[in-house]
Amino acid sequence: MFPIVATEELVPRVRLYRIHAPRVARKAAAGQFVILRVDAHGERIPLTIADWDAAEGTVSVVFMEVGTTTTRLARLKPGDVIADLCGPLGNPTEVENFGTVCLMAGGFATATIMPIARAMKAAGNRVIIVVGARNKDLLFWRDRLAENSDELIITTDDGSAGRKGVVTEPVKEKLERGERIDRVIAIGPSIMMKFSSLTTKPFGVKTIVSMNPIMVDGTGMCGCCRVSVAGQTRFACVDGPEFDAHAIDWDNFMARQRTYIDEEKRSLEICRCPTA
Amino acid sequence: MSQESGGKAKAKINLNRVSMPKQAADTRRQTFGEVALGYSAEDAAREAARCIECKARNCVAGCPVAIDIPEFIAAVKSGDLAGASRVIKRTNALPGICGRVCPQESQCEAVCTLAKKKAPVAIGRLERYVADWELGHHPAPEAPASPPTGRKVAVVGSGPAGLTCAAELARLGHAVTIFESLHVAGGVLMYGIPEFRLPKSIVQAEINYVKSLGVIIELDAVIGKTLTIDELLADGFDAVFVGTGAGLPLFLNIENENACGVYSANEFLSRVNLMKAYRFPEVDTPLKVGKEVAVIGGGNVAMDAARCAVRLGASVTVVYRRGREEMPARIEEIENAEEEGIAFLFLTNPIKFDINDQKWVSGMVCQKMALGEPDASGRRRPVPVEGSEFTLAIDMAIVALGTRPNPLIARSTPDLAFASRGTVVADEATGLTRKKAVWAGGDIVTGSATVISAMGAGKTAARDIDRYLASL
């Protein structure tokens, strides 16, 4: 059993939970994830480790309330327990002094890029962060983002904060201007990662994405999370989750992500029922 | 009768084993309830009476964990079921599991003296009967307590190898902790073998017996990630047994294999057995089951996947590249599958999947095969027949080609020696690896094999670990 130490609503429907899991906290590194199961009837879902504190024995995860499991999770309060949490899983982000690193984040991935930004800064990189949201009310941690970057660009779809548009635009402009970017890391919804990849590809800038396929065990046992990378089948849970964006078969990946859309809707209807 | 028994005055030996009742095929297709129903008390008494308690005792040698078979059967004969259980549990902590899933026809029963004449004593069914009698609320025999040795052993993986090794070491007085990556203990007994062959309540009851011996099980601990083998050794464990199995699924590596609707058997069975997806949406894990399902492979895992899919309402075809005689699955399971209406396409090999505009699998292009010369495994090698391609219309495929050891242990323990297929190199007689204080056994050493061979390896390693601990 894994007690929830603290919860924080970052923006409506997006929450950060600090969970007591000392063994995971001791090992965690930027880019890794955990698999958790809320209760005895629960499914296993992967969530990226957004932060950790080895001394305190906690790991933090961020999730958006979108389906059954995240809705169940959102009902829990500090002091409640999560049945299972295992990790840290997957390979850590490759961190070295690349020169200039551009981190692109969409949606609540704003939280999950923070440890990567910190690690990249510590490795001596110049860090550009580009964060996108639908509108200003969905932005959070602007101060922390500023603190962990040399340049921070915010975009909103409606222009209510930062510049109007999507995250790919400022990056494209930079590359067109000939600004030097040695590595791009894009994390967020698949569509955002796909377009980030398409943006950088003509410029030949090495681009890493953190894949978010459906997972079951998260330890390499089943291949549910398999991704076609450069024509090879790779398991995101043990070979990734980060891969070279330019080598990914995005259409196959996004189709696989939609596998259970009908079941997810059906499950959520039951979950929302007041007697649940 | 007189001719069958060699014309001598042995007429009182019944050469026909007592059959075990099972659910009819048409009713069991609707349920995950156990197919084989087990012996009644009368059945068990009649079957036990067939054992001639011969001096040869070949059955004991045929059992990988050397259960004292004639002794436990003698106890059943005399109606002393508690005594029978005590005899079994001296050497086997998991009889309810073994009685169900061991291939007795190639082990204890194969060498039974009666097998030379006709049907061997149904040792597996009797073992199961004793275990079930006990699990039906008769207290398990207390293990003779050994004085604590003060030594600590870490067992990695809670499948059959790890559970057996842990139980044996605990009996010998060592403090044992099992580390399991999943949220329940049991390994393949929980995620792989379906409920209708091996009820999960029985697995958990037998695991509880192992815990009652003093074994601690830590779940959600992925060795290789959460902790490494070196950290276990540094954290005060005197020895480590690695029984992490062979859980990495093999794929066909053909076009469109990553299409939606193509599952590994491990994923399909994990969703069904471990996550109970057949009860969705009462449980949260979903599963899509097609109307026309192809299962590729000919082993027990293929039979399990096919029979699960039938129970979820699918029409199922097993596609196997060799012939029926070459199938590695147990004959009993092939027959069960046939009774349940599963179709078989032998000498058939998939060469690509077709997909629809939603990127779901819509067909499987296959090629007919012919049997050529025997290969390294001694089985005749299938060779493609030119121009024999045809397409099977399917909306789901389950790939059951076998598994390899998971790479997590290899990646995190570079000084453990591995063979070409990712298996750990370990001494056959002792289970000792090339790394000091580390033993291994079960599928991680042999590649995918049987439950009982894993248990035998767990037991062998436990004996050697005990010798090692005594020398410290």
Side-chain angles (χ1 to χ4, degrees):
Chain A
M1 293 294 195
F2 298 82
I4 296 168
V5 176
T7 67
E8 182 186 344
E9 189 172 69
L10 298 175
V11 295
R13 293 174 61 218
V14 173
R15 287 178 171 79
L16 179 139
Y17 279 16
R18 207 141 47 85
I19 303 166
H20 189 67
R23 276 204 296 237
V24 183
R26 206 168 70 189
K27 274 293 179 62
Q32 292 188 297
F33 66 94
V34 295
I35 290 265
L36 65 79
R37 197 174 69 118
V38 177
D39 55 35
H41 286 127
E43 61 181 337
R44 296 167 65 96
I45 64 157
L47 290 175
T48 304
I49 300 172
D51 206 354
W52 61 91
D53 184 329
E56 192 192 56
T58 58
V59 294
S60 297
V61 293
V62 179
F63 62 93
M64 181 186 270
E65 220 181 301
V66 286
T68 297
T69 299
T70 45
T71 300
R72 282 196 210 291
L73 203 52
R75 287 177 184 156
L76 301 179
K77 295 175 180 57
D80 290 342
V81 295
I82 290 168
D84 297 283
L85 184 141
C86 80
L89 300 172
N91 297 313
T93 305
E94 189 191 353
V95 177
E96 54 182 81
N97 190 341
F98 297 107
T100 298
V101 175
C102 175
L103 300 177
M104 300 167 73
F108 66 86
T110 300
T112 57
I113 61 161
M114 206 59 82
I116 302 176
R118 274 201 300 262
M120 288 295 182
K121 285 278 286 182
N125 291 286
R126 188 177 114 79
V127 174
I128 305 167
I129 293 181
V130 187
V131 163
R134 279 208 315 279
N135 60 56
K136 69 173 181 5
D137 298 331
L138 300 176
L139 286 167
F140 58 92
W141 286 7
R142 291 170 75 151
D143 49 340
R144 289 196 217 183
L145 290 164
E147 221 169 88
N148 286 289
S149 60
D150 297 283
E151 184 182 349
L152 173 64
I153 302 170
I154 285 168
T155 67
T156 49
D157 293 359
D158 63 358
S160 56
R163 64 178 274 181
K164 184 172 161 54
V166 292
V167 285
T168 50
E169 285 159 15
V171 176
K172 191 173 178 211
E173 284 167 18
K174 280 177 180 290
L175 292 168
E176 279 170 347
R177 278 200 304 267
E179 206 176 302
R180 189 186 170 102
I181 296 176
D182 298 283
R183 174 164 294 217
V184 170
I185 299 175
I187 306 180
S190 302
I191 192 75
M192 170 266 176
M193 294 196 288
K194 177 183 169 177
F195 280 99
S196 301
S197 168
L198 291 173
T199 302
T200 58
K201 198 168 184 179
F203 299 94
V205 176
K206 175 97 165 179
T207 300
I208 303 295
V209 283
S210 179
M211 302 304 273
N212 49 351
I214 302 172
M215 289 189 186
V216 183
D217 61 284
T219 62
M221 267 179 49
C222 81
C224 177
C225 67
R226 62 198 195 274
V227 179
S228 301
V229 184
Q232 302 274 310
T233 293
R234 311 288 298 278
F235 290 5
C237 69
V238 290
D239 300 322
E242 296 182 4
F243 293 108
D244 179 347
H246 298 153
I248 285 166
D249 179 343
W250 288 101
D251 290 347
N252 175 259
F253 179 75
M254 287 162 75
R256 284 186 69 82
Q257 275 189 318
R258 290 190 299 268
T259 301
Y260 297 107
I261 277 190
D262 298 341
E263 287 78 8
E264 284 160 4
K265 278 187 198 141
R266 207 173 135 214
S267 173
L268 186 57
E269 280 162 20
I270 293 168
C271 177
R272 287 252 165 88
C273 161
T275 58
Chain B
M1 169 66 88
S2 63
Q3 279 195 343
E4 280 178 4
S5 58
K8 290 202 169 181
K10 283 186 181 169
K12 63 182 172 192
I13 303 172
N14 179 1
L15 289 173
N16 294 307
R17 53 165 59 187
V18 177
S19 62
M20 181 161 58
K22 63 179 183 183
Q23 284 194 67
D26 52 342
T27 54
R28 71 182 194 242
R29 283 175 55 121
Q30 320 291 325
T31 157
F32 278 80
E34 196 173 14
V35 168
L37 299 171
Y39 276 160
S40 65
E42 283 153 14
D43 291 340
R46 271 169 53 220
E47 184 60 28
R50 294 181 60 229
C51 174
I52 57 172
E53 293 172 54
C54 61
K55 289 221 169 60
R57 294 166 59 88
N58 292 329
C59 54
V60 181
C63 171
V65 295
I67 295 175
D68 198 333
I69 292 164
E71 198 180 331
F72 102 73
I73 293 182
V76 176
K77 277 184 199 173
S78 65
D80 176 16
L81 295 177
S85 179
R86 257 195 313 276
V87 173
I88 294 171
K89 285 201 158 155
R90 280 205 305 255
T91 46
N92 183 0
L94 312 167
I97 294 164
C98 289
R100 285 174 168 81
V101 302
C102 277
Q104 288 99 5
E105 66 274 14
S106 57
Q107 293 173 339
C108 55
E109 294 177 11
V111 290
C112 169
T113 299
L114 293 191
K116 290 176 200 150
K117 308 252 185 197
K118 206 171 175 190
V121 174
I123 299 164
R125 293 174 184 175
L126 289 170
E127 181 186 25
R128 168 187 165 151
Y129 173 73
V130 172
D132 288 359
W133 170 85
E134 182 192 293
L135 294 175
H137 310 299
H138 299 277
E142 274 192 36
S146 300
T149 62
R151 295 292 172 195
K152 284 173 68 183
V153 182
V155 170
V156 185
S158 66
L163 286 171
T164 305
C165 185
E168 193 71 10
L169 288 167
R171 269 196 204 106
L172 295 164
H174 307 300
V176 184
T177 303
I178 299 181
F179 295 89
E180 165 58 46
S181 68
L182 290 174
H183 58 268
V184 291
V188 77
L189 306 170
M190 289 304 288
Y191 75 77
I193 303 175
E195 186 82 27
F196 55 81
R197 272 211 302 138
L198 180 63
K200 302 305 149 217
S201 58
I202 290 183
V203 178
Q204 289 307 310
E206 300 213 322
I207 289 172
N208 284 336
Y209 174 72
V210 173
K211 286 190 197 166
S212 79
L213 301 173
V215 172
I216 293 165
I217 302 183
E218 292 213 25
L219 303 172
D220 298 314
V222 187
I223 303 305
K225 285 290 181 186
T226 311
L227 287 164
T228 63
I229 288 174
D230 287 315
E231 285 167 338
L232 292 173
L233 290 167
D235 283 354
F237 286 101
D238 299 294
V240 176
F241 174 76
V242 184
T244 48
L248 179 81
L250 296 175
F251 283 94
L252 291 149
N253 296 316
I254 60 175
E255 195 181 334
N256 290 327
E257 192 165 18
N258 293 341
C260 300
V262 180
Y263 288 78
S264 74
N266 263 14
E267 182 190 347
F268 178 74
L269 291 171
S270 293
R271 285 180 181 272
V272 174
N273 300 323
L274 179 71
M275 306 311 294
K276 302 273 175 274
Y278 59 88
R279 283 165 47 198
F280 178 87
E282 186 193 332
V283 302
D284 296 339
T285 303
L287 178 64
K288 274 263 199 303
V289 181
K291 290 190 173 66
E292 295 290 338
V293 176
V295 176
I296 299 111
N300 287 318
V301 174
M303 296 304 104
D304 286 344
R307 297 175 68 199
C308 284
V310 160
R311 283 159 174 76
L312 292 160
S315 164
V316 181
T317 305
V318 170
V319 175
Y320 182 51
R321 64 195 186 119
R322 302 182 202 243
R324 191 180 194 279
E325 290 67 40
E326 286 80 26
M327 283 180 81
R330 288 183 74 183
I331 291 165
E332 185 187 338
E333 301 309 329
I334 299 169
E335 287 171 357
N336 279 330
E338 285 171 336
E339 285 171 17
E340 289 164 14
I342 290 161
F344 287 79
L345 273 181
F346 295 111
L347 293 166
T348 304
N349 201 33
I351 50 177
K352 72 172 244 202
F353 291 105
D354 290 333
I355 55 173
N356 64 19
D357 53 5
Q358 305 293 306
K359 309 217 179 277
W360 274 82
V361 66
S362 61
M364 186 164 82
V365 180
C366 302
Q367 192 170 38
K368 295 304 289 181
M369 309 294 275
L371 289 180
E373 294 301 307
D375 64 11
S377 75
R379 295 180 301 176
R380 293 175 64 193
R381 186 194 300 275
V383 288
V385 177
E386 289 299 319
S388 63
E389 290 81 8
F390 68 100
T391 302
L392 199 63
I394 55 167
D395 51 5
M396 179 174 182
I398 303 169
V399 181
L401 297 178
T403 52
R404 293 264 171 87
N406 190 302
L408 288 182
I409 292 287
R411 289 180 191 169
S412 62
T413 323
D415 56 342
L416 201 60
F418 293 86
S420 60
R421 292 187 165 188
T423 52
V424 171
V425 177
D427 184 273
E428 208 176 313
T430 61
L432 184 61
T433 68
R434 303 272 171 85
K435 184 174 165 72
K436 186 177 157 52
V438 178
W439 282 256
D443 285 2
I444 195 172
V445 172
T446 58
S448 43
T450 62
V451 168
I452 190 68
S453 64
M455 290 176 57
K459 187 158 205 120
T460 300
R463 296 275 163 80
D464 201 56
I465 293 169
D466 181 54
R467 273 193 291 275
Y468 168 77
L469 295 175
S471 77
L472 290 180

